[in-house]
Coordinates of all heavy atoms in Angstrom, one line a residue:
M1 N 0.8 -14.2 -1.5 CA 0.2 -15.5 -1.3 C 1.1 -16.3 -0.5 O 2.2 -16.0 -0.2 CB 0.1 -16.2 -2.7 CG -0.9 -15.5 -3.6 SD -2.6 -15.7 -3.1 CE -3.4 -16.3 -4.6
W2 N 0.7 -17.4 0.0 CA 1.5 -18.3 0.8 C 2.7 -18.8 0.0 O 2.6 -18.9 -1.2 CB 0.7 -19.6 1.2 CG -0.5 -19.2 2.0 CD1 -1.8 -19.4 1.7 CD2 -0.5 -18.6 3.4 NE1 -2.6 -19.0 2.7 CE2 -1.9 -18.5 3.7 CE3 0.5 -18.2 4.2 CZ2 -2.2 -18.0 4.9 CZ3 0.1 -17.7 5.5 CH2 -1.2 -17.6 5.8
G3 N 3.8 -19.0 0.7 CA 5.0 -19.5 0.0 C 5.9 -18.4 -0.4 O 7.1 -18.7 -0.6
S4 N 5.5 -17.2 -0.6 CA 6.4 -16.1 -1.0 C 7.0 -15.3 0.1 O 7.8 -14.5 -0.1 CB 5.6 -15.2 -2.0 OG 4.5 -14.6 -1.3
R5 N 6.5 -15.6 1.3 CA 6.9 -14.7 2.4 C 8.3 -15.1 3.0 O 8.9 -14.4 3.7 CB 5.9 -14.8 3.5 CG 4.7 -13.9 3.2 CD 3.5 -14.2 4.1 NE 4.0 -14.0 5.5 CZ 3.2 -14.2 6.5 NH1 2.0 -14.7 6.4 NH2 3.6 -14.0 7.8
S6 N 8.7 -16.4 2.8 CA 10.0 -16.8 3.4 C 11.2 -16.5 2.5 O 12.3 -16.7 3.0 CB 9.9 -18.3 3.6 OG 9.7 -19.0 2.4
R7 N 11.0 -16.0 1.4 CA 12.2 -15.7 0.5 C 12.7 -14.3 0.8 O 11.9 -13.3 0.7 CB 11.7 -15.8 -1.0 CG 11.2 -17.2 -1.2 CD 10.7 -17.4 -2.6 NE 11.8 -17.4 -3.6 CZ 11.6 -17.6 -4.9 NH1 10.4 -17.9 -5.4 NH2 12.6 -17.6 -5.7
E8 N 14.0 -14.2 1.1 CA 14.5 -13.0 1.6 C 14.6 -11.8 0.6 O 14.2 -10.7 0.9 CB 15.9 -13.2 2.1 CG 16.0 -13.9 3.5 CD 15.3 -13.1 4.5 OE1 15.5 -11.8 4.5 OE2 14.6 -13.6 5.4
S9 N 15.1 -12.0 -0.6 CA 15.3 -10.9 -1.4 C 14.4 -10.9 -2.7 O 14.8 -10.7 -3.8 CB 16.8 -10.8 -1.8 OG 17.2 -12.0 -2.3
K10 N 13.2 -11.2 -2.4 CA 12.2 -11.2 -3.5 C 12.0 -9.8 -4.1 O 12.0 -8.9 -3.3 CB 10.9 -11.7 -2.9 CG 9.7 -11.9 -3.9 CD 8.6 -12.5 -3.2 CE 7.2 -12.2 -3.8 NZ 7.0 -12.6 -5.1
S11 N 11.9 -9.8 -5.4 CA 11.6 -8.5 -6.0 C 10.1 -8.2 -6.0 O 9.3 -9.1 -6.2 CB 12.1 -8.4 -7.4 OG 13.5 -8.2 -7.4
V12 N 9.8 -7.0 -5.7 CA 8.4 -6.6 -5.8 C 8.3 -5.4 -6.7 O 9.3 -4.8 -7.1 CB 7.8 -6.2 -4.4 CG1 7.9 -7.4 -3.5 CG2 8.6 -5.0 -3.8
T13 N 7.1 -5.1 -7.1 CA 6.8 -4.0 -8.1 C 6.0 -3.0 -7.4 O 4.9 -3.3 -6.8 CB 6.2 -4.5 -9.3 OG1 7.0 -5.5 -9.9 CG2 5.9 -3.4 -10.3
C14 N 6.4 -1.7 -7.4 CA 5.7 -0.6 -6.9 C 4.4 -0.5 -7.7 O 4.4 -0.4 -8.9 CB 6.5 0.7 -7.0 SG 5.5 2.1 -6.6
I15 N 3.2 -0.5 -7.0 CA 2.0 -0.5 -7.7 C 1.7 0.9 -8.3 O 0.8 1.1 -9.1 CB 0.8 -0.9 -6.8 CG1 0.7 0.0 -5.6 CG2 1.0 -2.4 -6.4 CD1 -0.5 -0.3 -4.8
A16 N 2.4 1.9 -7.9 CA 2.1 3.3 -8.3 C 3.0 3.6 -9.6 O 2.5 4.2 -10.5 CB 2.4 4.3 -7.2
C17 N 4.3 3.3 -9.6 CA 5.1 3.7 -10.7 C 5.7 2.5 -11.5 O 6.3 2.7 -12.5 CB 6.2 4.6 -10.2 SG 7.5 3.8 -9.2
G18 N 5.5 1.3 -11.0 CA 6.0 0.1 -11.7 C 7.4 -0.2 -11.5 O 7.9 -1.1 -12.2
T19 N 8.1 0.5 -10.7 CA 9.5 0.2 -10.4 C 9.7 -1.1 -9.7 O 9.0 -1.4 -8.8 CB 10.2 1.3 -9.6 OG1 10.1 2.6 -10.3 CG2 11.6 1.0 -9.2
S20 N 10.7 -1.9 -10.1 CA 11.0 -3.1 -9.4 C 12.0 -2.8 -8.3 O 13.0 -2.0 -8.5 CB 11.6 -4.2 -10.3 OG 10.6 -4.7 -11.1
L21 N 11.8 -3.3 -7.1 CA 12.7 -3.1 -6.0 C 12.7 -4.3 -5.1 O 11.8 -5.1 -5.2 CB 12.4 -1.8 -5.3 CG 11.1 -1.7 -4.5 CD1 11.2 -0.5 -3.5 CD2 9.9 -1.5 -5.4
R22 N 13.7 -4.4 -4.3 CA 13.7 -5.5 -3.3 C 12.6 -5.2 -2.2 O 12.4 -4.1 -1.8 CB 15.1 -5.6 -2.7 CG 16.0 -6.1 -3.8 CD 17.4 -6.1 -3.3 NE 17.6 -7.0 -2.1 CZ 18.7 -7.5 -1.7 NH1 19.8 -7.1 -2.3 NH2 18.8 -8.3 -0.7
R23 N 12.0 -6.3 -1.8 CA 10.9 -6.2 -0.9 C 11.3 -5.5 0.4 O 10.4 -4.8 0.9 CB 10.3 -7.6 -0.7 CG 8.9 -7.5 0.0 CD 8.3 -8.8 0.1 NE 9.0 -9.7 0.9 CZ 8.6 -11.0 1.2 NH1 7.5 -11.4 0.7 NH2 9.3 -11.7 2.0
E24 N 12.5 -5.8 0.9 CA 12.8 -5.1 2.1 C 13.0 -3.6 2.0 O 13.0 -2.9 3.0 CB 14.1 -5.7 2.7 CG 15.3 -5.5 1.9 CD 15.6 -6.8 1.0 OE1 14.6 -7.4 0.6 OE2 16.8 -7.1 0.8
H25 N 13.0 -3.1 0.8 CA 13.1 -1.7 0.5 C 11.8 -1.0 0.2 O 11.6 0.1 0.0 CB 14.1 -1.3 -0.6 CG 15.5 -1.7 -0.2 ND1 16.4 -2.1 -1.2 CD2 16.1 -1.8 0.9 CE1 17.6 -2.4 -0.6 NE2 17.4 -2.3 0.7
A26 N 10.8 -1.9 0.1 CA 9.5 -1.4 -0.3 C 8.6 -1.2 1.0 O 8.8 -1.8 2.0 CB 8.8 -2.4 -1.2
R27 N 7.6 -0.4 0.8 CA 6.6 -0.3 1.8 C 5.4 -1.2 1.5 O 4.9 -1.2 0.4 CB 6.0 1.2 1.9 CG 7.0 2.1 2.4 CD 7.3 1.9 3.9 NE 8.0 3.0 4.4 CZ 7.5 4.1 4.9 NH1 6.2 4.2 4.9 NH2 8.2 5.1 5.4
E28 N 5.0 -2.0 2.5 CA 3.8 -2.8 2.3 C 2.6 -1.9 2.1 O 2.4 -0.9 2.8 CB 3.6 -3.7 3.5 CG 4.4 -5.0 3.4 CD 4.1 -5.9 4.5 OE1 3.5 -5.5 5.5 OE2 4.5 -7.1 4.4
Y29 N 1.8 -2.3 1.2 CA 0.6 -1.5 1.0 C -0.6 -2.5 1.0 O -0.7 -3.3 0.2 CB 0.7 -0.9 -0.4 CG -0.5 -0.1 -0.8 CD1 -0.7 1.2 -0.4 CD2 -1.4 -0.7 -1.6 CE1 -1.8 1.9 -0.8 CE2 -2.6 0.0 -2.0 CZ -2.7 1.3 -1.6 OH -3.8 2.0 -2.0
D30 N -1.4 -2.3 2.0 CA -2.5 -3.2 2.2 C -3.8 -2.5 1.7 O -4.2 -1.5 2.3 CB -2.6 -3.6 3.7 CG -3.8 -4.6 3.9 OD1 -4.5 -4.9 2.9 OD2 -3.9 -5.0 5.0
K31 N -4.3 -3.1 0.6 CA -5.5 -2.4 0.0 C -6.7 -2.5 0.9 O -7.7 -1.9 0.7 CB -5.8 -3.0 -1.3 CG -5.9 -4.5 -1.4 CD -5.8 -5.0 -2.8 CE -5.7 -6.5 -2.8 NZ -5.4 -7.0 -4.2
Y32 N -6.6 -3.4 2.0 CA -7.7 -3.4 2.9 C -7.6 -2.5 4.1 O -8.5 -2.4 4.9 CB -7.9 -4.9 3.4 CG -8.1 -5.8 2.3 CD1 -7.1 -6.6 1.8 CD2 -9.4 -5.9 1.6 CE1 -7.3 -7.5 0.7 CE2 -9.6 -6.7 0.6 CZ -8.6 -7.6 0.1 OH -8.8 -8.4 -0.9
G33 N -6.4 -1.8 4.1 CA -6.3 -0.8 5.1 C -6.0 -1.3 6.5 O -6.0 -0.6 7.5
D34 N -5.6 -2.6 6.6 CA -5.3 -3.2 7.9 C -4.1 -4.1 7.8 O -4.2 -5.3 7.4 CB -6.5 -4.0 8.4 CG -6.3 -4.6 9.8 OD1 -5.2 -4.4 10.3 OD2 -7.1 -5.4 10.2
R35 N -3.0 -3.5 8.1 CA -1.7 -4.3 7.8 C -1.5 -5.4 8.9 O -0.6 -6.2 8.8 CB -0.5 -3.3 7.8 CG -0.5 -2.5 6.5 CD 0.8 -1.8 6.4 NE 1.0 -0.8 7.5 CZ 2.0 0.0 7.5 NH1 2.9 0.0 6.6 NH2 2.1 0.8 8.5
W36 N -2.3 -5.3 10.0 CA -2.0 -6.2 11.1 C -2.7 -7.5 11.0 O -2.4 -8.5 11.6 CB -2.3 -5.5 12.4 CG -1.8 -4.1 12.4 CD1 -2.5 -3.0 12.5 CD2 -0.4 -3.7 12.2 NE1 -1.7 -1.9 12.4 CE2 -0.5 -2.3 12.2 CE3 0.8 -4.3 11.9 CZ2 0.7 -1.5 12.0 CZ3 1.9 -3.6 11.7 CH2 1.9 -2.2 11.8
D37 N -3.7 -7.5 10.1 CA -4.4 -8.8 9.8 C -3.9 -9.4 8.6 O -4.2 -9.0 7.5 CB -5.9 -8.5 9.7 CG -6.7 -9.7 9.4 OD1 -6.1 -10.8 9.5 OD2 -7.9 -9.6 9.0
R38 N -2.9 -10.3 8.7 CA -2.2 -10.8 7.5 C -2.7 -12.1 6.9 O -2.3 -12.5 5.9 CB -0.7 -11.0 7.9 CG -0.1 -9.7 8.5 CD 1.3 -10.0 8.9 NE 2.2 -10.2 7.7 CZ 2.9 -9.2 7.2 NH1 2.8 -8.0 7.7 NH2 3.6 -9.4 6.1
D39 N -3.7 -12.7 7.6 CA -4.1 -14.0 7.2 C -4.7 -14.0 5.8 O -5.6 -13.3 5.5 CB -5.1 -14.6 8.2 CG -4.5 -15.0 9.5 OD1 -3.2 -15.0 9.5 OD2 -5.2 -15.4 10.4
G40 N -4.0 -14.8 5.0 CA -4.6 -15.0 3.6 C -4.5 -13.9 2.7 O -5.1 -13.8 1.7
K41 N -3.7 -12.9 3.1 CA -3.7 -11.7 2.3 C -2.5 -11.6 1.3 O -1.5 -12.2 1.6 CB -3.6 -10.4 3.2 CG -4.9 -10.0 3.8 CD -4.7 -8.7 4.5 CE -5.9 -8.3 5.2 NZ -5.7 -7.0 6.0
E42 N -2.7 -10.9 0.2 CA -1.7 -10.7 -0.7 C -1.4 -9.2 -0.7 O -2.2 -8.4 -1.1 CB -2.1 -11.1 -2.1 CG -1.0 -11.0 -3.1 CD -1.5 -11.5 -4.5 OE1 -2.7 -12.0 -4.6 OE2 -0.7 -11.5 -5.4
F43 N -0.2 -8.9 -0.2 CA 0.1 -7.5 -0.1 C 0.7 -6.9 -1.4 O 1.2 -7.6 -2.2 CB 1.2 -7.3 1.0 CG 0.7 -7.4 2.4 CD1 0.6 -8.6 3.0 CD2 0.2 -6.2 3.0 CE1 0.0 -8.7 4.3 CE2 -0.3 -6.3 4.3 CZ -0.4 -7.6 4.9
E44 N 0.5 -5.6 -1.5 CA 1.1 -4.9 -2.6 C 2.1 -4.0 -2.1 O 2.2 -3.8 -0.9 CB 0.0 -4.1 -3.4 CG -1.0 -5.1 -4.0 CD -2.2 -4.4 -4.7 OE1 -2.9 -3.6 -4.0 OE2 -2.3 -4.5 -5.9
Y45 N 2.9 -3.4 -2.9 CA 4.1 -2.6 -2.4 C 4.2 -1.3 -3.1 O 3.8 -1.1 -4.3 CB 5.4 -3.4 -2.7 CG 5.4 -4.7 -1.9 CD1 4.9 -5.9 -2.4 CD2 5.8 -4.7 -0.6 CE1 4.8 -7.0 -1.7 CE2 5.8 -5.9 0.2 CZ 5.3 -7.0 -0.4 OH 5.2 -8.2 0.3
L46 N 4.7 -0.3 -2.4 CA 5.1 1.0 -2.9 C 6.6 1.2 -2.7 O 7.1 0.9 -1.7 CB 4.3 2.1 -2.2 CG 2.8 2.2 -2.5 CD1 2.1 3.1 -1.5 CD2 2.5 2.7 -3.9
C47 N 7.2 1.8 -3.7 CA 8.6 2.3 -3.4 C 8.5 3.5 -2.5 O 7.5 4.1 -2.3 CB 9.3 2.6 -4.7 SG 8.7 4.1 -5.5
K48 N 9.7 3.8 -1.9 CA 9.6 4.9 -0.9 C 9.2 6.2 -1.4 O 8.6 7.0 -0.8 CB 11.0 4.9 -0.1 CG 11.1 3.8 0.8 CD 12.3 3.9 1.7 CE 12.3 2.7 2.7 NZ 13.5 2.7 3.5
A49 N 9.7 6.5 -2.7 CA 9.3 7.7 -3.3 C 7.8 7.9 -3.4 O 7.2 8.9 -3.1 CB 10.0 7.9 -4.7
C50 N 7.2 6.8 -3.9 CA 5.7 6.9 -4.1 C 5.0 6.9 -2.7 O 4.0 7.6 -2.6 CB 5.2 5.7 -4.9 SG 5.7 5.9 -6.6
D51 N 5.5 6.2 -1.8 CA 4.9 6.2 -0.5 C 5.0 7.6 0.1 O 4.0 8.0 0.7 CB 5.7 5.2 0.4 CG 5.1 5.1 1.8 OD1 4.0 4.5 1.9 OD2 5.7 5.7 2.7
R52 N 6.1 8.2 -0.1 CA 6.2 9.6 0.5 C 5.3 10.6 -0.3 O 4.6 11.4 0.3 CB 7.7 10.1 0.3 CG 8.0 11.4 1.1 CD 9.4 11.7 1.0 NE 10.3 10.7 1.6 CZ 11.2 9.9 1.0 NH1 11.4 10.1 -0.2 NH2 11.9 9.0 1.7
E53 N 5.2 10.4 -1.6 CA 4.3 11.2 -2.3 C 2.8 11.1 -1.9 O 2.1 12.0 -1.7 CB 4.3 10.9 -3.8 CG 5.4 11.7 -4.6 CD 5.3 11.4 -6.1 OE1 4.1 11.3 -6.6 OE2 6.3 11.2 -6.7
L54 N 2.5 9.8 -1.7 CA 1.1 9.6 -1.2 C 0.8 10.2 0.1 O -0.3 10.7 0.3 CB 0.9 8.0 -1.1 CG 0.7 7.3 -2.4 CD1 0.7 5.8 -2.2 CD2 -0.5 7.7 -3.2
C55 N 1.8 10.3 1.0 CA 1.6 10.9 2.3 C 1.3 12.4 2.1 O 0.6 13.0 2.9 CB 2.9 10.8 3.1 SG 3.1 9.1 3.7
H56 N 1.9 13.0 1.1 CA 1.8 14.5 1.1 C 0.8 15.0 0.0 O 0.6 16.2 -0.1 CB 3.2 15.1 0.8 CG 4.2 14.8 1.9 ND1 4.0 15.3 3.2 CD2 5.3 14.0 2.0 CE1 5.0 14.9 4.0 NE2 5.7 14.0 3.3
Q57 N 0.3 14.1 -0.7 CA -0.7 14.6 -1.7 C -2.0 14.9 -1.0 O -2.4 14.3 -0.1 CB -0.9 13.5 -2.7 CG 0.2 13.2 -3.6 CD 0.6 14.4 -4.5 OE1 -0.2 15.1 -4.9 NE2 1.9 14.6 -4.6
P58 N -2.7 15.9 -1.6 CA -4.0 16.2 -1.1 C -4.9 15.0 -1.4 O -4.6 14.2 -2.2 CB -4.5 17.3 -2.0 CG -3.3 17.9 -2.6 CD -2.3 16.8 -2.6
R59 N -6.0 14.9 -0.6 CA -6.8 13.7 -0.7 C -7.3 13.4 -2.1 O -7.4 12.3 -2.5 CB -8.0 13.9 0.2 CG -7.7 13.7 1.7 CD -9.0 13.9 2.5 NE -9.9 12.8 2.2 CZ -10.2 11.8 3.1 NH1 -9.6 11.9 4.3 NH2 -11.0 10.9 2.8
D60 N -7.7 14.4 -2.8 CA -8.3 14.2 -4.1 C -7.3 13.5 -5.0 O -7.6 12.6 -5.8 CB -8.7 15.5 -4.8 CG -9.9 16.1 -4.2 OD1 -10.6 15.3 -3.4 OD2 -10.3 17.2 -4.5
E61 N -6.0 13.9 -5.0 CA -5.0 13.3 -5.9 C -4.7 11.9 -5.4 O -4.5 11.0 -6.2 CB -3.8 14.1 -5.9 CG -4.0 15.4 -6.6 CD -2.6 16.2 -6.8 OE1 -1.6 15.5 -7.1 OE2 -2.7 17.4 -6.6
L62 N -4.6 11.7 -4.1 CA -4.4 10.4 -3.6 C -5.5 9.5 -4.0 O -5.3 8.4 -4.4 CB -4.3 10.5 -2.0 CG -4.2 9.1 -1.3 CD1 -3.0 8.3 -1.8 CD2 -4.1 9.3 0.2
E63 N -6.7 9.9 -3.8 CA -7.9 9.1 -4.2 C -7.8 8.7 -5.7 O -8.1 7.6 -6.1 CB -9.2 9.8 -3.8 CG -10.4 8.9 -4.1 CD -11.6 9.4 -3.5 OE1 -11.6 10.5 -2.9 OE2 -12.6 8.7 -3.5
G64 N -7.5 9.7 -6.5 CA -7.5 9.5 -7.9 C -6.4 8.4 -8.3 O -6.7 7.5 -9.1
L65 N -5.3 8.5 -7.6 CA -4.3 7.5 -7.9 C -4.7 6.1 -7.4 O -4.5 5.2 -8.2 CB -3.0 7.9 -7.1 CG -1.8 6.9 -7.2 CD1 -1.4 6.8 -8.7 CD2 -0.7 7.4 -6.3
L66 N -5.3 6.1 -6.3 CA -5.7 4.8 -5.8 C -6.8 4.2 -6.6 O -6.9 3.0 -6.7 CB -6.1 4.9 -4.3 CG -4.9 5.2 -3.4 CD1 -5.4 5.4 -1.9 CD2 -3.8 4.2 -3.5
V67 N -7.7 5.1 -7.0 CA -8.8 4.6 -7.9 C -8.2 3.9 -9.1 O -8.6 2.9 -9.6 CB -9.7 5.7 -8.3 CG1 -10.6 5.3 -9.4 CG2 -10.6 6.1 -7.1
E68 N -7.2 4.6 -9.7 CA -6.5 4.0 -10.9 C -5.9 2.7 -10.5 O -6.1 1.7 -11.3 CB -5.4 5.0 -11.3 CG -5.6 5.6 -12.6 CD -4.4 6.5 -12.9 OE1 -3.3 6.0 -13.2 OE2 -4.7 7.7 -12.9
V69 N -5.2 2.7 -9.4 CA -4.5 1.4 -9.0 C -5.5 0.3 -8.8 O -5.3 -0.8 -9.2 CB -3.7 1.7 -7.7 CG1 -3.3 0.4 -7.1 CG2 -2.5 2.5 -8.0
A70 N -6.6 0.6 -8.2 CA -7.6 -0.4 -7.8 C -8.7 -0.6 -8.8 O -9.6 -1.3 -8.5 CB -8.1 -0.1 -6.4
A71 N -8.6 0.1 -9.9 CA -9.7 0.1 -10.8 C -10.1 -1.4 -11.2 O -9.3 -2.2 -11.6 CB -9.4 0.9 -12.1
G72 N -11.4 -1.7 -11.1 CA -11.9 -3.0 -11.5 C -11.7 -4.0 -10.5 O -12.1 -5.2 -10.6
E73 N -11.0 -3.7 -9.4 CA -10.8 -4.8 -8.4 C -11.7 -4.7 -7.2 O -11.9 -5.6 -6.5 CB -9.3 -4.6 -7.8 CG -8.3 -5.2 -8.7 CD -6.9 -5.2 -8.0 OE1 -6.8 -5.7 -6.9 OE2 -6.0 -4.6 -8.6
H74 N -12.2 -3.5 -7.0 CA -13.0 -3.3 -5.8 C -14.3 -2.5 -6.1 O -14.3 -1.7 -7.0 CB -12.2 -2.5 -4.8 CG -10.9 -3.1 -4.4 ND1 -10.8 -4.2 -3.6 CD2 -9.7 -2.9 -4.9 CE1 -9.5 -4.5 -3.5 NE2 -8.8 -3.8 -4.3
S75 N -15.3 -2.8 -5.3 CA -16.5 -2.0 -5.4 C -16.2 -0.6 -4.8 O -15.2 -0.5 -4.0 CB -17.6 -2.7 -4.6 OG -17.4 -2.6 -3.2
Q76 N -17.0 0.3 -5.0 CA -16.8 1.7 -4.5 C -16.8 1.7 -3.0 O -16.0 2.3 -2.3 CB -17.9 2.6 -5.0 CG -17.6 4.1 -4.7 CD -16.5 4.7 -5.6 OE1 -15.9 4.0 -6.4 NE2 -16.2 5.9 -5.3
D77 N -17.8 0.9 -2.4 CA -17.9 0.9 -0.9 C -16.6 0.3 -0.3 O -16.1 0.8 0.7 CB -19.1 0.1 -0.5 CG -20.4 0.9 -0.7 OD1 -20.3 2.1 -1.0 OD2 -21.4 0.3 -0.6
E78 N -16.2 -0.8 -0.9 CA -15.0 -1.5 -0.4 C -13.8 -0.6 -0.5 O -13.0 -0.4 0.4 CB -14.8 -2.8 -1.3 CG -14.0 -3.8 -0.6 CD -13.8 -5.0 -1.6 OE1 -14.4 -5.0 -2.7 OE2 -13.1 -5.9 -1.2
F79 N -13.7 0.0 -1.6 CA -12.6 0.9 -1.9 C -12.6 2.1 -0.8 O -11.6 2.3 -0.2 CB -12.6 1.5 -3.3 CG -11.6 2.6 -3.5 CD1 -10.3 2.3 -3.7 CD2 -12.0 4.0 -3.4 CE1 -9.4 3.3 -3.9 CE2 -11.1 5.0 -3.5 CZ -9.8 4.7 -3.8
L80 N -13.7 2.7 -0.7 CA -13.8 3.9 0.2 C -13.4 3.5 1.7 O -12.8 4.2 2.4 CB -15.2 4.5 0.2 CG -15.4 5.3 -1.1 CD1 -16.8 5.8 -1.2 CD2 -14.4 6.4 -1.3
S81 N -13.8 2.3 2.1 CA -13.6 1.9 3.5 C -12.1 1.7 3.7 O -11.5 2.2 4.7 CB -14.4 0.7 3.9 OG -14.0 -0.4 3.2
W82 N -11.4 1.0 2.8 CA -10.0 0.8 3.0 C -9.2 2.1 2.8 O -8.2 2.4 3.4 CB -9.4 -0.4 2.3 CG -9.3 -0.4 0.8 CD1 -10.1 -1.1 0.0 CD2 -8.3 0.3 0.0 NE1 -9.7 -0.8 -1.3 CE2 -8.6 0.0 -1.3 CE3 -7.3 1.1 0.3 CZ2 -7.9 0.5 -2.4 CZ3 -6.5 1.6 -0.8 CH2 -6.8 1.3 -2.1
Y83 N -9.7 2.9 1.8 CA -9.0 4.2 1.6 C -9.0 5.1 2.8 O -8.0 5.7 3.2 CB -9.7 4.9 0.4 CG -9.3 6.3 0.2 CD1 -8.1 6.6 -0.3 CD2 -10.2 7.3 0.6 CE1 -7.7 7.9 -0.4 CE2 -9.8 8.6 0.5 CZ -8.5 8.9 0.0 OH -8.1 10.2 -0.1
S84 N -10.2 5.1 3.5 CA -10.3 5.9 4.7 C -9.3 5.5 5.7 O -8.6 6.2 6.4 CB -11.7 5.9 5.2 OG -12.6 6.3 4.3
A85 N -9.2 4.2 5.9 CA -8.3 3.6 6.9 C -6.9 3.9 6.5 O -6.1 4.2 7.4 CB -8.5 2.1 7.0
L86 N -6.6 3.8 5.2 CA -5.2 4.1 4.8 C -4.8 5.5 5.1 O -3.8 5.8 5.6 CB -5.1 3.8 3.3 CG -3.8 4.2 2.6 CD1 -2.7 3.2 3.1 CD2 -3.9 4.2 1.1
V87 N -5.7 6.5 4.7 CA -5.4 7.9 4.9 C -5.2 8.2 6.4 O -4.3 8.9 6.8 CB -6.6 8.8 4.4 CG1 -6.4 10.2 4.9 CG2 -6.6 8.7 2.9
E88 N -6.1 7.6 7.2 CA -5.9 7.8 8.7 C -4.6 7.3 9.1 O -3.9 7.9 9.9 CB -7.0 7.0 9.4 CG -7.3 7.6 10.7 CD -8.5 6.8 11.3 OE1 -9.6 6.8 10.7 OE2 -8.4 6.3 12.4
E89 N -4.2 6.1 8.7 CA -2.9 5.5 9.1 C -1.8 6.4 8.6 O -0.9 6.7 9.3 CB -2.9 4.1 8.5 CG -1.6 3.4 8.9 CD -1.4 2.1 8.1 OE1 -2.4 1.5 7.8 OE2 -0.2 1.8 7.8
R90 N -1.8 6.8 7.3 CA -0.7 7.5 6.7 C -0.6 8.9 7.4 O 0.5 9.3 7.7 CB -1.0 7.7 5.2 CG -1.0 6.4 4.5 CD 0.4 5.9 4.3 NE 0.4 4.5 3.9 CZ 1.2 4.0 3.0 NH1 2.1 4.8 2.4 NH2 1.1 2.7 2.6
Y91 N -1.7 9.6 7.5 CA -1.6 10.9 8.0 C -1.3 10.9 9.5 O -0.9 11.9 10.1 CB -2.9 11.7 7.7 CG -3.0 12.2 6.3 CD1 -3.2 11.3 5.2 CD2 -2.8 13.5 6.0 CE1 -3.2 11.7 3.9 CE2 -2.9 14.0 4.7 CZ -3.1 13.1 3.7 OH -3.1 13.5 2.4
G92 N -1.5 9.8 10.1 CA -1.2 9.7 11.5 C 0.3 9.4 11.8 O 0.8 9.6 12.9
S93 N 1.0 9.1 10.7 CA 2.4 8.7 10.9 C 3.3 9.3 9.7 O 3.8 8.5 8.9 CB 2.6 7.2 11.0 OG 2.1 6.6 9.9
L94 N 3.3 10.6 9.7 CA 4.0 11.2 8.5 C 5.6 11.1 8.7 O 6.3 11.3 7.7 CB 3.6 12.7 8.4 CG 2.4 12.9 7.6 CD1 2.0 14.4 7.6 CD2 2.5 12.4 6.2
E95 N 6.0 10.9 9.9 CA 7.5 10.9 10.1 C 8.1 9.7 9.4 O 7.7 8.6 9.5 CB 7.8 10.8 11.6 CG 7.4 12.0 12.4 CD 8.2 13.3 12.0 OE1 9.4 13.1 11.7 OE2 7.7 14.4 12.0
E96 N 9.1 10.0 8.6 CA 9.9 8.9 8.0 C 10.7 8.2 9.1 O 11.2 8.8 10.0 CB 10.8 9.4 6.9 CG 10.2 9.5 5.6 CD 9.7 8.2 5.0 OE1 10.5 7.2 5.2 OE2 8.7 8.1 4.4
Q97 N 10.7 6.9 8.9 CA 11.5 6.2 9.9 C 13.0 6.4 9.6 O 13.4 6.6 8.6 CB 11.2 4.7 9.8 CG 11.5 4.1 8.5 CD 10.7 2.8 8.2 OE1 10.0 2.4 9.1 NE2 10.8 2.2 7.1
Ligands
ZN1 ZN1 6.9 3.9 -7.0

């Protein structure tokens, strides 16, 4: 949300495993599948371990995890559209920085 972006060492919680970590160590996770459109968005975060796991999991498991994460928040259509974008983005950039 607005107001939280200017604080340097804010703690965030990994949405996959619940670990707290500093935001600069977390990967931004955009449930809408478009990280470049930031207006009015509230980002979620993954720790690097979970981010890496998500990259290498077969689609079925990834989808299962994300369904769990997003359960009750999104319609199926909405979920599938951002999920597809996410997979495309993730699988297109498997190299760790
Ligand atoms: Zn995690």
Side-chain angles (χ1 to χ4, degrees):
M1 295 290 230
W2 300 114
S4 60
R5 285 168 54 187
S6 58
R7 302 176 71 174
E8 282 298 322
S9 47
K10 182 174 157 56
S11 280
V12 298
T13 301
C14 172
I15 59 172
C17 70
T19 297
S20 287
L21 67 163
R22 291 173 61 164
R23 195 172 62 179
E24 63 264 36
H25 295 152
R27 290 292 192 88
E28 277 184 345
Y29 177 83
D30 184 355
K31 54 195 171 190
Y32 300 102
D34 178 7
R35 289 192 295 186
W36 317 121
D37 177 13
R38 306 178 71 92
D39 284 353
K41 282 187 179 176
E42 185 177 0
F43 284 86
E44 295 176 300
Y45 297 91
L46 288 169
C47 69
K48 286 191 177 174
C50 288
D51 183 73
R52 190 174 298 118
E53 269 186 46
L54 286 174
C55 286
H56 296 294
Q57 291 299 321
R59 286 183 66 110
D60 284 352
E61 289 187 42
L62 173 59
E63 183 167 7
L65 176 63
L66 292 179
V67 166
E68 243 179 72
V69 166
E73 281 188 54
H74 303 280
S75 71
Q76 188 76 359
D77 284 350
E78 200 180 357
F79 171 79
L80 286 175
S81 67
W82 69 254
Y83 167 74
S84 303
L86 176 72
V87 168
E88 202 176 304
E89 183 192 326
R90 296 286 166 136
Y91 281 71
S93 57
L94 275 178
E95 293 293 323
E96 273 296 320
Q97 60 201 358

